[in-house]
Structure formats: structure tokens, C-alpha cells
Amino acid sequence: MGRRPILGAIALATAVTLSAAACGSSGDDTSSSGKKTITIGFQGVLSGDNQQLGLNALYGVKTAIAEVNADASYPFELKLVESDDAGSPDQGPTAAQKLIDNKKVVAVVGPMFSGATKASEPAYSQAGLLSVSPSATNPALTTLGFTSFYRVIAPDTVQGKAAADYLADVLKAKKVYSLDDKSEYGTGLSGALEPELKAKGIEVIHDGINPTKDYQSEATKIIAAKPDVLYYSGYYAELALLTKALKDKGFTGKIASGDGSNDPQYVAQAGATAAEGVYLTCPCGDANSDPKAAAFVESFKKVNNGAKPGTYSGEAYDATKALATVFKQLGDDVNRESVLKAFPGVNYAGITKTVSFESNGEVKGSNVYVYQVKNGAITVLGNIADLIKA
């Protein structure tokens, strides 16, 4: 399905006309410095078992806002409104509506999890409110006709293929147990991983399990299948429980997972001993070990009480800075309609990548990295494309 269907365009035009009339320019308020203020929203997972991923992104947004507000070259200051969807499709629409109803909000960073994103985007499209996700990777999200959705991270078609290539070419797997959490994210990633594994002649066992607190029986099934590698498509809280169950039962194969598990909270919840050696793939680099991102890391720590950037921090920071670039270009004409119209043409040199977009809302150019838990810490091994060549 095309990205701008005729009916969607008509609905968007109607919605934009209404919202523009209702909210006008965001420059109605002024800050203490005398500059006009522009309000943006953040929608993400700020509660629940996997909230650290949401905090990573939120802190990235706050870092970008602090830098913009301290930079005299920007003729405005940014304000932020937060909306928690707990990473849940059920709570996504309500969280989105909170931001839509705030007529000062001219753009949103988020949503984050793919399920919450899919559930929220119809409302954003209807309202003509731009949303830029730092983390929603389900491949289908840019094919569903959403008219105001962009993402600054590669879809799982990219990560899944790269992860499969790493399992096959570097880990030399012959049999892979592919387990997902039945979410929009999990099924999207496993659905991209498995065809590439099969194309490489690897035996694939597919299974899905809803998030639970007891993975003992699943661990027994996995061990009985005797895979070389278990690849889990889901989030860190569940992977931690699954890892402990597998290790308790003596699993000797390798364990791998994707970006939803790539957070120090995984190690903390699984325990350093159980997590040791686990591989994690992500269409994101590690800012903490990237010399080119040193200034960002220091700024991030300063703004966020010493916290280090995590998964999605850099992407959320880049999304916010890209928005600020567009606001600056628009001058006094910053409103939902003008921002939505101008954002597709942005070209911002960020810390994770140059933020520019294909016509369908996908970010141009991405790399996929692999990490491994070593001595209780998640360590980047490198760009998968480079590791395969080595």
C-alpha cells in the first residue's frame, strides 16, 4: 500500500486545516529569555518492566532540548510534554491523544515500541501531527498508509538479515531456535530473521510465547531441540527470565537477541553469570565507545545526572535535533501543518547517521551492530558487515 493514499490525503488535509485553525503558531508563548517557545511531545514506554528503553530515549530528547535552549543561534526555546504508553498497544492511542489534544504540541518524538506505534499512528495521521520514532522497527509500519510517521532507525528487514548473516557466517550456526514474544516488534524481527537463515541453509525452529514470568517449560523445549543458537525477538525483561531458565537447565548453545534486549538492565535482571556471552544485535551504535560522539556523551551525562546514553538515546537525540533544524528553517511559521510539510526534506548530520528520509518515511542508510556481554557489561563487537568480512 502506498504511503500517501488519496483517502488518507483528504483526511489529512481536513485534519490539518482543523488543527492549524485550532493551534495556530507555537510561538504564542515566550520564555524567560524573551524567545518564543515551541512545544514538542514525547510518547514512549516510561513505566513497566522495560521502561529503561523509554528513559534512554527520553534522556536523549532532553539532552537535545538543553543544547538547543543554550544555543543563541536558535531563535526559540523548546518545551517538552511527556506521555507514557507503557509500551502497550492498548495504552498507545490514549497516550497519543494526550499530545494531540495539547494544541501547542507541533511534533512528537515517538512512539517507541512497534505495537504502541501501530496503535497510535492512525490518530496522529488524522490530526496531522508529525511523529518521529527513534525505535519502532516493525517493517510494516511504513506500509500502512500513515501520513505523518517517520522513523530514524532501520526496520527489522535490515536488522533481521544482518543478524541472520552473523549467526550463519560468524557463529557458524547450523540450527537456530527462533523465539519471539508475539508482539508487533517480536514477530517483525523473527519474520525478517528466519527467511535469511533458511536461505543460508540453516535449519530453523520457530516458536512464539507471550511474555510470562515463568520460562521453565519453554527452556525445556529449547534444550530438547538442541539448537546451536537461540535467537529471542523480544524485550530485555523477558530475555532475562528466559536466560536464567536456560542456564539453570544447562543449556550449552549460544543465546542472541535484538535491540529490544540491548540494555544494561538485561544484565542486571538476568545476573552477570547467566548473561555472560550473550549476543545482542542492534541497528544502533554505542555512543559511549564512539570518539565522534564524545561531546554528546558528556552533554548527556550533564543533563541527566550522570546517566550514560543507552539504546535509542542517540536516535532520540538526533530526531529532536532534526526537528529543531526544521523549526529554525520555518522561522515564524511553525505549526503542525508547516512542520509536517517541511520535515520530509530535512537533512541533518546527526551522531547516529545523517537524518534524511526516503519517500515512504524510512531513514536513509543504516548499519547494524553486534554486542556481547563480557564480564558483566555489554560490549560492542562491531559493525556486522565488517565482522563478516574479517
PDB file of all heavy atoms in Angstrom, residues 63 67 290-300 317:
ATOM      1  N   THR A  63      18.431  15.937  26.327  1.00  0.00           N
ATOM      2  CA  THR A  63      19.774  16.437  26.024  1.00  0.00           C
ATOM      3  C   THR A  63      19.739  17.380  24.834  1.00  0.00           C
ATOM      4  O   THR A  63      20.333  18.466  24.856  1.00  0.00           O
ATOM      5  CB  THR A  63      20.729  15.268  25.745  1.00  0.00           C
ATOM      6  OG1 THR A  63      20.755  14.393  26.873  1.00  0.00           O
ATOM      7  CG2 THR A  63      22.141  15.758  25.464  1.00  0.00           C
ATOM      8  N   GLU A  67      20.559  21.498  24.775  1.00  0.00           N
ATOM      9  CA  GLU A  67      21.548  22.096  23.880  1.00  0.00           C
ATOM     10  C   GLU A  67      20.932  23.192  23.008  1.00  0.00           C
ATOM     11  O   GLU A  67      21.527  24.257  22.817  1.00  0.00           O
ATOM     12  CB  GLU A  67      22.169  21.015  23.001  1.00  0.00           C
ATOM     13  CG  GLU A  67      23.062  20.061  23.776  1.00  0.00           C
ATOM     14  CD  GLU A  67      23.689  18.982  22.909  1.00  0.00           C
ATOM     15  OE1 GLU A  67      23.481  19.006  21.672  1.00  0.00           O
ATOM     16  OE2 GLU A  67      24.393  18.117  23.458  1.00  0.00           O
ATOM     17  N   ASP A 290      32.220   5.563  20.902  1.00  0.00           N
ATOM     18  CA  ASP A 290      32.432   6.218  19.613  1.00  0.00           C
ATOM     19  C   ASP A 290      33.093   7.578  19.840  1.00  0.00           C
ATOM     20  O   ASP A 290      32.464   8.489  20.385  1.00  0.00           O
ATOM     21  CB  ASP A 290      31.099   6.400  18.891  1.00  0.00           C
ATOM     22  CG  ASP A 290      31.240   7.033  17.509  1.00  0.00           C
ATOM     23  OD1 ASP A 290      32.376   7.369  17.119  1.00  0.00           O
ATOM     24  OD2 ASP A 290      30.214   7.179  16.823  1.00  0.00           O
ATOM     25  N   PRO A 291      34.359   7.741  19.442  1.00  0.00           N
ATOM     26  CA  PRO A 291      35.046   9.023  19.659  1.00  0.00           C
ATOM     27  C   PRO A 291      34.300  10.204  19.066  1.00  0.00           C
ATOM     28  O   PRO A 291      34.332  11.312  19.624  1.00  0.00           O
ATOM     29  CB  PRO A 291      36.391   8.815  18.955  1.00  0.00           C
ATOM     30  CG  PRO A 291      36.590   7.333  18.923  1.00  0.00           C
ATOM     31  CD  PRO A 291      35.217   6.751  18.772  1.00  0.00           C
ATOM     32  N   LYS A 292      33.592   9.987  17.960  1.00  0.00           N
ATOM     33  CA  LYS A 292      32.873  11.078  17.305  1.00  0.00           C
ATOM     34  C   LYS A 292      31.649  11.523  18.111  1.00  0.00           C
ATOM     35  O   LYS A 292      31.088  12.588  17.852  1.00  0.00           O
ATOM     36  CB  LYS A 292      32.448  10.653  15.898  1.00  0.00           C
ATOM     37  CG  LYS A 292      33.615  10.461  14.930  1.00  0.00           C
ATOM     38  CD  LYS A 292      33.148  10.095  13.545  1.00  0.00           C
ATOM     39  CE  LYS A 292      32.587   8.691  13.494  1.00  0.00           C
ATOM     40  NZ  LYS A 292      32.241   8.278  12.100  1.00  0.00           N
ATOM     41  N   ALA A 293      31.235  10.701  19.069  1.00  0.00           N
ATOM     42  CA  ALA A 293      30.064  11.033  19.886  1.00  0.00           C
ATOM     43  C   ALA A 293      30.453  11.487  21.291  1.00  0.00           C
ATOM     44  O   ALA A 293      29.595  11.618  22.157  1.00  0.00           O
ATOM     45  CB  ALA A 293      29.131   9.829  19.977  1.00  0.00           C
ATOM     46  N   ALA A 294      31.728  11.773  21.512  1.00  0.00           N
ATOM     47  CA  ALA A 294      32.206  12.107  22.858  1.00  0.00           C
ATOM     48  C   ALA A 294      31.504  13.337  23.424  1.00  0.00           C
ATOM     49  O   ALA A 294      31.133  13.368  24.609  1.00  0.00           O
ATOM     50  CB  ALA A 294      33.721  12.319  22.838  1.00  0.00           C
ATOM     51  N   ALA A 295      31.317  14.352  22.600  1.00  0.00           N
ATOM     52  CA  ALA A 295      30.662  15.573  23.080  1.00  0.00           C
ATOM     53  C   ALA A 295      29.219  15.290  23.480  1.00  0.00           C
ATOM     54  O   ALA A 295      28.715  15.816  24.485  1.00  0.00           O
ATOM     55  CB  ALA A 295      30.725  16.659  22.008  1.00  0.00           C
ATOM     56  N   PHE A 296      28.544  14.448  22.690  1.00  0.00           N
ATOM     57  CA  PHE A 296      27.170  14.061  23.021  1.00  0.00           C
ATOM     58  C   PHE A 296      27.122  13.326  24.348  1.00  0.00           C
ATOM     59  O   PHE A 296      26.253  13.589  25.188  1.00  0.00           O
ATOM     60  CB  PHE A 296      26.598  13.191  21.906  1.00  0.00           C
ATOM     61  CG  PHE A 296      25.387  12.392  22.301  1.00  0.00           C
ATOM     62  CD1 PHE A 296      24.177  13.007  22.586  1.00  0.00           C
ATOM     63  CD2 PHE A 296      25.449  11.005  22.405  1.00  0.00           C
ATOM     64  CE1 PHE A 296      23.058  12.272  22.963  1.00  0.00           C
ATOM     65  CE2 PHE A 296      24.346  10.266  22.777  1.00  0.00           C
ATOM     66  CZ  PHE A 296      23.143  10.895  23.060  1.00  0.00           C
ATOM     67  N   VAL A 297      28.048  12.397  24.558  1.00  0.00           N
ATOM     68  CA  VAL A 297      28.059  11.613  25.796  1.00  0.00           C
ATOM     69  C   VAL A 297      28.227  12.533  27.004  1.00  0.00           C
ATOM     70  O   VAL A 297      27.524  12.390  28.018  1.00  0.00           O
ATOM     71  CB  VAL A 297      29.173  10.551  25.763  1.00  0.00           C
ATOM     72  CG1 VAL A 297      29.293   9.853  27.112  1.00  0.00           C
ATOM     73  CG2 VAL A 297      28.891   9.515  24.674  1.00  0.00           C
ATOM     74  N   GLU A 298      29.129  13.475  26.909  1.00  0.00           N
ATOM     75  CA  GLU A 298      29.354  14.397  28.027  1.00  0.00           C
ATOM     76  C   GLU A 298      28.133  15.275  28.266  1.00  0.00           C
ATOM     77  O   GLU A 298      27.747  15.528  29.408  1.00  0.00           O
ATOM     78  CB  GLU A 298      30.598  15.259  27.761  1.00  0.00           C
ATOM     79  CG  GLU A 298      31.899  14.485  27.862  1.00  0.00           C
ATOM     80  CD  GLU A 298      32.021  13.719  29.178  1.00  0.00           C
ATOM     81  OE1 GLU A 298      31.849  14.337  30.247  1.00  0.00           O
ATOM     82  OE2 GLU A 298      32.252  12.489  29.129  1.00  0.00           O
ATOM     83  N   SER A 299      27.533  15.748  27.191  1.00  0.00           N
ATOM     84  CA  SER A 299      26.327  16.561  27.312  1.00  0.00           C
ATOM     85  C   SER A 299      25.194  15.754  27.934  1.00  0.00           C
ATOM     86  O   SER A 299      24.463  16.230  28.814  1.00  0.00           O
ATOM     87  CB  SER A 299      25.919  17.079  25.932  1.00  0.00           C
ATOM     88  OG  SER A 299      24.737  17.857  25.996  1.00  0.00           O
ATOM     89  N   PHE A 300      25.056  14.516  27.501  1.00  0.00           N
ATOM     90  CA  PHE A 300      24.016  13.613  28.010  1.00  0.00           C
ATOM     91  C   PHE A 300      24.174  13.419  29.513  1.00  0.00           C
ATOM     92  O   PHE A 300      23.202  13.502  30.278  1.00  0.00           O
ATOM     93  CB  PHE A 300      24.112  12.276  27.277  1.00  0.00           C
ATOM     94  CG  PHE A 300      22.983  11.325  27.530  1.00  0.00           C
ATOM     95  CD1 PHE A 300      21.915  11.242  26.647  1.00  0.00           C
ATOM     96  CD2 PHE A 300      22.982  10.484  28.636  1.00  0.00           C
ATOM     97  CE1 PHE A 300      20.868  10.347  26.864  1.00  0.00           C
ATOM     98  CE2 PHE A 300      21.946   9.589  28.863  1.00  0.00           C
ATOM     99  CZ  PHE A 300      20.896   9.526  27.972  1.00  0.00           C
ATOM    100  N   TYR A 317      17.868  11.705  20.344  1.00  0.00           N
ATOM    101  CA  TYR A 317      18.597  12.981  20.285  1.00  0.00           C
ATOM    102  C   TYR A 317      18.623  13.510  18.851  1.00  0.00           C
ATOM    103  O   TYR A 317      18.313  14.689  18.602  1.00  0.00           O
ATOM    104  CB  TYR A 317      20.008  12.747  20.812  1.00  0.00           C
ATOM    105  CG  TYR A 317      20.987  13.884  20.652  1.00  0.00           C
ATOM    106  CD1 TYR A 317      21.098  14.874  21.635  1.00  0.00           C
ATOM    107  CD2 TYR A 317      21.828  13.960  19.550  1.00  0.00           C
ATOM    108  CE1 TYR A 317      22.017  15.910  21.508  1.00  0.00           C
ATOM    109  CE2 TYR A 317      22.751  14.984  19.410  1.00  0.00           C
ATOM    110  CZ  TYR A 317      22.838  15.955  20.394  1.00  0.00           C
ATOM    111  OH  TYR A 317      23.750  16.976  20.259  1.00  0.00           O
TER     112      TYR A 317
END
